[in-house]
Amino acid sequence: MSEEKFDAIVVGAGMSGNAAAYTMASHGLRVLQLERGEYPGSKNVQGAILYANMLETIIPDFRDDAPLERHLVEQRFWIMDDTSHTGMHYRSDDFNERRPNRYTIIRAQFDKWFSCKVREAGGTVLCETTATKLARDSSGKVIGVHTDRAGDVILADVVVLAEGVNGLLGTRAGLREMPKPENVALAVKEMHFLPEEVIAERFGLTEDEGCVIEAGGTISRGITGLGFLYTNRESISLGIGCLVSGLAETMEKPYALLDAFKRHPSIRPLLAGSEVKEYAAHLIPEGGFKAIPQLFGDGWVVVGDAAQLNNAVHREGSNLAMASGRIAGESIFRIKCRGGSMTKQNLSLYKSMLDKSFVMKDLMKHKDMPALLHTNCQSFFTTYPKLISQAAQNFVRVDGTPKIEREKATTAAFIKARSRWGLVSDAIRLAFAWR
Amino acid sequence: MTATIVERIEDKLYQNRYLVDTGRPHIKVRAHLSPSPNLLALTKICPAKCYELNDTGQVEIVADGCMECGTCRVLCEANGDIEWNYPRGGFGILFKFG
Ligand SMILES: Cc1cc2nc3c(=O)[nH]c(=O)nc-3n(C[C@H](O)[C@H](O)[C@H](O)COP(=O)(O)OP(=O)(O)OC[C@H]3O[C@@H](n4cnc5c(N)ncnc54)[C@H](O)[C@@H]3O)c2cc1C
Ligand code: SF4
C-alpha cells in the first residue's frame, strides 16, 4: 500500500466522510477511506433524523435500499417542568408524500449501507484502522497519513478530515482548536425496544409513519440542553444532551438526567414495557458559526462535525455533514479536472462553494443563539418552563376563580420571576438571535 | 408509594458491546496530589462513570466501559490532567445501534 499514492484519503466513515468518499469515487478519483471502527457506524451515535434532500443530492435513489425506519408525519415541541409539558404538535398528511422529507434511521445500520455505496462506486474502505498522525512535507503541506497498522505513511494529494467532533488528527496537527466545553454538548441516549404495533398505537401512527418529540425545560436542571424521543420501526430512541461546561459546573450526572427524563410523567407511559438494548454517549458541536475553524489548507480540508458544521438550533448535523462532504468532494474533483494541485489557494474553492450553500447561510443566521442560550440558561431552561406550565394550568383549570384574576396572576408571576425589563430584553435578544 | 429506583450505570453498560484492548488503556490520568476541579468533575459527569476518587483523594480511571465520547478530553486534556487517545482500530465500544 505504501507504494501507491491516492488522489484523496478520507479519514472517517461517518456522514461527512461517506458523502465525500462517495462523491469523489463516483467521479472516478482513487479514494482511500479509513475508519477506526470494526465497521462503519460502530463508533457513531445520532438521534437520529435523516434529511432526505441532502442524501438525495448524492444518491438520488437511496430510498430503494437504504435502511430507513419511519418517515416523519408529526413533530412535537414540548416545554417541560417537573410534572407537566406544554406542547405544540404539528402533524400533516402532506408528509405522506411519494418521496418523504425526513426519516428516522439507526446509524450503525445506515453507515454500513452508505459505506457499501462508497465501495460500489470504487472507493477503498479500510476499517479497524485509526489514522494516528498527518504526514507533512518540509513546507508543511499535508501529504498523507500515518495509521496504527504496520507500514509506512500512506500518501495522497489531499486528506479530507471527516473525523467527527472529537477528531484528534486536526487538533493535534494544530489545524484547528480543540472544541471548548461551552461549544459541545454531551448527549446520552438509550434504545428502547417495543413491538411495532405498540409504537404505532401509542403515537397514533400507521405503517411506517413516524413521530418525534423535542423537549426542553427543567429536565436539563438549568443547564443549556434538550431531550428527544424519536420513533423507529420497533424501537424508540430516547436521549438528552447538555453543554459540557454546564455539566462541569453543576456536576450533574448525565445518566441521572436521562433517568429522570425517562421517569417524567409525560414520557414514562410512552416507554412502558420497553426493553433497553443499548446505552450510548457522544458529543454534539453546539458552537455554531462562531466556532467554525479554518476549513482548508495545503493538502487538506475539514468537513462535518470536525469543522463544527452543526446547526444546534434546528437539531441538524448529519445533513450539514453530508452536504459539506459532498461539496468538498466536488471541489477536489473540479481542481483535479483543471489539472490544479491541492494547494491552500486552490482548495479555497471548497470554502467558497460552502459559503454559497445552505450550510453556511443557516449557521450564519443563528450565529448569536449559542451565546444567548448559554448565558441565560437558568431563565430559558428553568424559569420560563415553570412559568409557562403555571400559565397553561391557570388557563385550563376551572375552580370558580374569575378569569381576570387568573390572567393577572399569570402576568404577575412572569414579572416577579424576570421583571418587566428582563422579559422585554429576553424577548428582544431572542428575536435578534433568531432573525 | 414505591421508592424511586435509580438505575445503576453498570447495568446500563452491561447492555453494550466492547472489545477491550487488555493492558492498553487509551486514557491515562497524570499523577497528582489533589485533583483539579475539572478532573474532579469527571467523577460525576463521565457518562460511563470511568473516573472515581480513591481512598487518598486522587482521581483514577478504569476505561473499560468508556464510550469514547471525548467529554473528558475536552475538559482535561489541554491542562495535562489526562492523556487521551483512541483505542487501537477495531477495539473499544462497538455500537449495535448508535
Ligand atoms: C445524540 C445525537 C443526536 C443527533 N441527532 C441528530 C439528528 O436527529 N439529525 C441530524 O441531522 N443530526 C443529528 N446529530 C448530529 C449528527 O450525528 C452529526 O452531525 C453527524 O454524525 C456528523 O457526521 P460526521 O461524518 O462529521 O462525523 P461522525 O458521524 O461522528 O463520523 C466520524 C467518523 O470518523 C471516524 N474517525 C474519527 N477519527 C478517526 C481516525 N483518526 N481514524 C479513522 N477513523 C476515525 C469515527 O469512527 C467516525 O466513524 C446528532 C448527534 C448526536 C450525538
Ligand atoms: S471519553 Fe467519555 S466515556 Fe470515555 S472516559 Fe471520557 S468522559 Fe468517560
Side-chain angles (χ1 to χ4, degrees):
Chain A
M1 173 124 344
S2 54
E3 301 301 310
E4 205 175 341
K5 185 176 174 198
F6 291 89
D7 289 322
I9 293 174
V10 178
V11 180
M15 287 290 192
S16 61
N18 285 334
Y22 180 85
T23 304
M24 292 189 287
S26 57
H27 278 110
L29 300 191
R30 277 164 304 137
V31 178
L32 173 69
Q33 189 177 24
L34 304 174
E35 167 56 48
R36 65 187 194 87
E38 184 185 39
Y39 50 85
S42 61
K43 299 292 182 182
N44 301 341
V45 181
Q46 193 183 327
I49 301 176
L50 172 80
Y51 302 93
N53 176 271
M54 288 77 205
L55 180 56
E56 215 166 7
T57 320
I58 303 166
I59 303 181
D61 54 1
F62 77 89
R63 291 181 182 83
D64 294 348
D65 55 2
L68 305 169
E69 294 287 309
R70 290 173 181 272
H71 76 273
L72 300 177
V73 296
E74 180 169 334
Q75 173 104 28
R76 307 181 183 175
F77 300 97
W78 285 5
I79 296 169
M80 303 179 86
D81 76 352
D82 299 344
T83 53
S84 76
H85 75 264
T86 311
M88 187 183 88
H89 293 196
Y90 182 69
R91 183 182 176 112
S92 173
D93 195 42
D94 292 348
F95 290 123
N96 281 317
E97 54 211 323
R98 203 168 62 81
R99 300 161 84 81
N101 180 257
R102 300 187 305 160
Y103 297 88
T104 46
I105 53 167
I106 291 173
R107 273 298 291 274
Q109 293 160 11
F110 183 86
D111 289 9
K112 259 191 219 161
W113 167 84
F114 205 168
S115 180
C116 282
K117 295 283 158 185
V118 174
R119 286 201 174 102
E120 284 169 22
T124 307
V125 185
L126 272 189
C127 289
E128 299 186 66
T129 309
T130 305
T132 48
K133 211 176 132 199
L134 287 172
R136 299 163 101 161
D137 68 12
S138 53
S139 71
K141 181 180 191 296
V142 172
I143 53 166
V145 298
H146 298 266
T147 72
D148 63 353
R149 290 206 182 200
D152 297 333
V153 44
I154 312 176
L155 299 173
D157 291 336
V158 61
V159 174
V160 178
L161 293 162
E163 46 181 345
V165 58
N166 188 26
L168 263 63
L169 283 194
T171 49
R172 295 240 163 112
L175 305 182
R176 59 173 193 272
E177 275 181 37
M178 172 116 80
K180 296 202 165 62
E182 60 275 23
N183 284 342
V184 279
L186 167 62
V188 284
K189 178 191 161 188
E190 277 178 359
M191 287 293 276
H192 289 255
F193 281 76
L194 280 167
E196 207 173 322
E197 325 75 75
V198 174
I199 294 181
E201 197 184 31
R202 270 183 203 173
F203 292 86
L205 306 167
T206 51
E207 292 177 30
D208 67 343
E209 287 177 345
C211 165
V212 303
I213 304 175
E214 311 277 4
T218 60
I219 48 168
S220 63
R221 307 215 182 130
I223 308 171
T224 302
L226 281 177
F228 62 86
L229 182 157
Y230 298 160
T231 56
N232 304 315
R233 195 172 277 279
E234 45 186 37
S235 62
I236 290 175
S237 304
L238 184 88
I240 182 165
C242 293
L243 279 190
V244 169
S245 54
L247 289 169
E249 275 157 36
T250 57
M251 302 260 243
E252 291 284 355
K253 298 188 182 96
Y255 42 92
L257 296 179
L258 183 64
D259 284 346
F261 184 40
K262 238 164 45 177
R263 285 198 307 272
H264 190 284
S266 299
I267 294 287
R268 193 172 45 199
L270 299 174
L271 301 173
S274 69
E275 188 193 348
V276 181
K277 293 198 183 167
E278 188 169 80
Y279 167 63
H282 204 278
L283 293 179
I284 307 178
E286 303 256 329
F289 188 78
K290 292 182 175 167
I292 298 174
Q294 172 68 31
L295 293 173
F296 59 93
D298 277 324
W300 63 274
V301 292
V302 57
V303 294
D305 276 9
Q308 293 264 340
L309 301 176
N310 199 305
N311 186 342
V313 179
H314 284 269
R315 313 275 283 156
E316 293 175 27
S318 66
N319 53 336
L320 278 67
M322 285 188 282
S324 61
R326 173 183 58 79
I327 291 171
E330 281 172 6
S331 55
I332 289 167
F333 175 65
R334 281 205 213 171
I335 297 168
K336 277 262 158 189
C337 279
R338 61 175 194 234
S341 59
M342 296 299 154
T343 57
K344 183 171 182 179
Q345 198 190 358
N346 283 340
L347 286 167
S348 69
L349 177 64
Y350 161 53
K351 172 80 167 37
S352 57
M353 282 169 72
L354 203 61
D355 283 344
K356 289 196 198 102
S357 72
F358 80 98
V359 174
M360 287 304 208
K361 287 187 179 148
D362 282 1
L363 290 173
M364 178 74 173
K365 177 176 185 289
H366 295 307
K367 67 181 189 319
D368 296 322
M369 256 342 232
L372 176 70
L373 292 180
H374 183 47
T375 47
N376 292 269
C377 49
Q378 275 300 335
S379 30
F380 285 119
F381 295 94
T382 306
T383 316
Y384 282 123
K386 283 188 178 154
L387 289 168
I388 288 165
S389 165
Q390 279 164 25
Q393 188 157 141
N394 263 344
F395 188 80
V396 172
R397 198 185 272 279
V398 176
D399 62 0
T401 317
K403 298 289 182 236
I404 185 86
E405 278 178 36
R406 284 200 172 279
E407 277 169 31
K408 275 189 184 151
T410 299
T411 315
F414 271 81
I415 293 171
K416 182 162 178 263
R418 282 297 287 154
S419 85
R420 272 178 209 281
W421 167 243
L423 289 170
V424 173
S425 91
D426 285 349
I428 292 174
R429 278 187 299 175
L430 192 62
F432 268 90
W434 192 264
R435 191 182 48 163
Chain B
M1 280 296 287
T2 49
T4 342
I5 303 149
V6 178
E7 289 170 68
R8 289 178 349 127
I9 186 70
E10 292 79 2
D11 297 337
K12 282 185 193 288
L13 297 175
Y14 187 68
Q15 294 147 355
N16 293 351
R17 241 188 99 207
Y18 294 93
L19 191 61
V20 177
D21 200 355
T22 319
R24 295 176 73 142
H26 62 288
I27 308 173
K28 287 177 194 144
V29 177
R30 187 182 59 174
H32 56 278
L33 288 174
S34 61
S36 71
N38 279 356
L39 190 55
L40 195 61
L42 294 181
T43 61
K44 303 281 181 210
I45 78 166
C46 163
K49 208 166 178 275
C50 292
Y51 292 85
E52 301 232 34
L53 211 53
N54 69 14
D55 296 344
T56 48
Q58 286 88 37
V59 171
E60 287 177 355
I61 182 169
V62 179
D64 293 1
C66 173
M67 292 176 280
E68 298 158 34
C69 70
T71 301
C72 56
R73 174 173 178 242
V74 163
L75 272 179
C76 288
E77 197 190 56
N79 64 5
D81 277 341
I82 65 168
E83 196 189 302
W84 205 102
N85 276 295
Y86 278 127
R88 280 192 294 160
F91 288 94
I93 183 87
L94 294 164
F95 290 121
K96 294 166 283 181
F97 309 106

